[in-house]
Amino acid sequence: MKNDNIRVVITGLGVVASNGKNASDYNESLIAGKSGIKSIKELSDLNFGCTIGGIAELNIDKNAFFSNNQLDKANNHIQLACIAGMEAYLDSGLTYNPENEENVDWDTGAIIGTSAGGIDTIGDLVVPFTKAQKPRKIGTSAALNITGSGASLDLANILALGNKVSANSSVCCTGTEAILDGFHHIKSGRALRMLTGSSEGYSPYSWAPMDSLRVLNSRSNNSPETASAPLNKDGFGLVLSSGAGILMLENLDTALKRGAEIYAEILGGSVNCGGRKSGGSMTYPNKEGMKRCISEAVELSGIVPQDIDLINGHLTGTKGDVLEVSVWKELFEHTDYFPYIQSTKSMIGHGLGAAGSLESVASILQLHNGYIHPSINCEPVHPEIEKKINTDRIPKKCIKKEDLTIIAKSSFGFGDVNSCLIFKKWEK
Amino acid sequence: MTREEIKPTFIDILKKYTPSTIIWDSITENDSIIGKLNVNSARFVDLIIDVEDAFEIDIDDERMNQIITIKNGIDMVESLTANP
């Protein structure tokens, strides 16, 4: 039933972040500007340069579905995804029936992406047992735990999802792109609902290559809460974190028919790659690629740049921040206007594959509740950024903004991949 | 090893994989592990791995497929600990 007029809305949110164990807790932390970054003893024991990070703690005490479905055998990124996924599912007003053995929901699917996925299982279980010539002792849970779409598969099993069940992977753009993929899948008429987002577990194995690449902030080990400093003159590098963010996307007609509460609409979005040319590299983007991506997102969404109230940026606390602001500035070069701009990473660090979805959940919470969260640790703002924009466009404290309507969520990833989503608040 | 030595350990391992709804007083050795005891068939291999580790034996795929009831399991351990 392809219909050019299918609109896609968000009817449920789920999240586990280093500063919030569920959506409501996360919301409070964003308003308060609360950091989730702490010292991690294991990292100093292992001789990491950067020994701090954000670990999303599992809130499993009240979750009976967790033990009923033996999720205690799942690894960290799958556990996080299932907790957040169940939260989004129930938040959207759907009912979970633990006794269900037969009925499949053919109209609902899942795309939950990840970057490093089950690397903890690989490093701690599969590799040691195989090298010790005991592969048959690995146990049955490893097969699904190490597979790229393990999170989507486990969630689909719990919720009897019968539509597309898959995972995407595009480094820092993973979460943003998963949402866009789900949006297109519904818009094409192939599904009514999609649980979309991403999950990244905590593992020294996934963080070690980043430490080796020297892109992490190794200078602030004694002050974890101020270490993640996007937009700052002294952005010393990334601070990593784990977590999962899931959005229930839904066909608007279906949502209205069943009386679901609607948070926001996805107007559109874009993804592309800069090819690591014209100055682009593995760790620094091609400016032209970034600009094409955000321009296309705006155009495909049927808006003009001046409609954007807030940019939730990629903004990681590296020299890429200056480039990111200047690219956005170019989009507004014909006007005096520039939106508010923020970095959720200032509080939760860089969630790698989970970043885009954690930040998208933050964007929707702000639209729904009418506020703009602060970018903590941003002062003193980088002088090159001060030249481009008025720094009161960067809220340092939470601002109440009931008329917040359109947020542009951008992610600019490793390997020069770009993505941008346009969210619009739903007016009842 | 004798059956008397094997059985308590074997039952303890089974209890890790059976649902809490099982009433053990009413269970006999002829009850099936996946059927009557409701052990998840996807976890059966893990149960076998635990049995192998506990008794220091190897249960190959063919032998594993012969273990249907509790009695089959205990018999298998008895025979493999006598003739490894």
Side-chain angles (χ1 to χ4, degrees), chain A residues 205-224:
Chain A
Y205 304 131
S206 54
W207 293 15
M210 302 295 273
D211 201 57
S212 185
L213 201 49
R214 309 284 198 262
V215 294
L216 303 184
N217 179 357
S218 306
R219 297 199 230 182
S220 310
N221 289 330
N222 292 327
S223 52

Side-chain angles (χ1 to χ4, degrees), chain A residues 260-278:
Chain A
E261 193 177 334
I262 298 173
Y263 284 93
E265 182 175 2
I266 301 179
L267 297 184
S270 180
V271 293
N272 75 356
C273 179
R276 293 199 243 161
K277 301 288 184 286
S278 296

Side-chain angles (χ1 to χ4, degrees), chain A residues 107-400:
Chain A
D107 296 317
T108 307
I111 301 173
I112 302 173
T114 186
S115 207
I119 193 170
D120 48 351
T121 309
I122 293 169
D124 288 333
L125 190 61
V126 176
V127 170
F129 272 73
T130 308
K131 286 199 163 183
Q133 299 176 313
K134 296 181 183 174
R136 288 168 64 84
K137 296 291 190 185
I138 287 171
T140 61
S141 56
L144 209 60
N145 271 333
I146 66 167
T147 199
S149 62
S152 293
L153 287 169
D154 272 351
L155 193 60
N157 172 239
I158 293 165
L159 297 173
L161 304 181
N163 203 283
K164 172 171 170 161
V165 170
S166 184
N168 68 312
S169 194
S170 48
V171 273
C172 323
C173 293
T174 303
T176 322
E177 184 190 64
I179 295 164
L180 189 59
D181 283 351
F183 163 82
H184 285 305
H185 195 63
I186 295 173
K187 209 160 165 59
S188 70
R190 302 292 301 126
L192 295 181
R193 274 173 299 272
M194 293 293 288
L195 282 162
T196 61
S198 52
S199 179
E200 203 73 66
Y202 163 68
S203 171
Y205 304 131
S206 54
W207 293 15
M210 302 295 273
D211 201 57
S212 185
L213 201 49
R214 309 284 198 262
V215 294
L216 303 184
N217 179 357
S218 306
R219 297 199 230 182
S220 310
N221 289 330
N222 292 327
S223 52
E225 293 187 2
T226 57
S228 182
L231 300 159
N232 193 307
K233 164 174 135 334
D234 294 324
F236 293 133
L238 308 181
V239 177
L240 300 178
S241 61
S242 63
I246 307 282
L247 282 70
M248 174 68 94
L249 305 187
E250 189 158 359
N251 174 309
L252 173 61
D253 289 339
T254 312
L256 290 172
K257 226 175 273 175
R258 70 180 182 92
E261 193 177 334
I262 298 173
Y263 284 93
E265 182 175 2
I266 301 179
L267 297 184
S270 180
V271 293
N272 75 356
C273 179
R276 293 199 243 161
K277 301 288 184 286
S278 296
S281 69
M282 180 165 59
T283 53
Y284 194 74
N286 173 347
K287 187 171 178 176
E288 160 97 23
M290 293 164 83
K291 188 151 178 216
R292 287 176 68 103
C293 180
I294 60 179
S295 305
E296 193 174 71
V298 164
E299 197 185 310
L300 289 172
S301 301
I303 62 168
V304 293
Q306 292 92 306
D307 291 329
I308 298 172
D309 297 308
L310 169 65
I311 297 164
N312 181 293
H314 183 57
L315 299 170
T316 57
T318 64
K319 61 183 176 158
D321 296 356
V322 172
L323 181 62
E324 184 172 344
V325 173
S326 74
V327 167
W328 274 109
K329 178 68 182 169
E330 280 185 32
L331 200 66
F332 294 89
E333 63 195 348
H334 301 302
T335 99
D336 289 332
Y337 173 71
F338 193 81
Y340 285 105
I341 185 165
Q342 70 182 180
S343 171
T344 311
K345 290 187 179 70
S346 66
M347 289 180 270
I348 63 171
H350 192 332
L352 295 172
S357 59
L358 288 167
E359 294 154 25
S360 291
V361 172
S363 300
I364 303 305
L365 286 170
Q366 292 174 96
L367 276 176
H368 186 62
N369 296 304
Y371 69 90
I372 297 178
H373 78 58
S375 299
I376 65 172
N377 308 324
C378 68
E379 290 177 304
V381 173
H382 198 294
E384 294 299 315
I385 292 176
E386 282 184 319
K387 281 183 198 161
K388 300 279 179 193
I389 64 171
N390 189 330
T391 56
D392 62 15
R393 299 279 84 191
I394 308 170
K396 290 93 181 167
K397 290 222 154 5
C398 188
I399 296 180
K400 211 168 150 60

Side-chain angles (χ1 to χ4, degrees), chain A residues 80-132:
Chain A
L80 290 167
C82 288
I83 296 275
M86 181 61 91
E87 185 182 15
Y89 186 86
L90 295 175
D91 187 40
S92 73
L94 297 172
T95 314
Y96 165 57
N97 177 6
E99 311 298 322
N100 175 30
E101 293 287 333
E102 280 174 10
N103 297 318
V104 177
D105 180 356
W106 302 109
D107 296 317
T108 307
I111 301 173
I112 302 173
T114 186
S115 207
I119 193 170
D120 48 351
T121 309
I122 293 169
D124 288 333
L125 190 61
V126 176
V127 170
F129 272 73
T130 308
K131 286 199 163 183

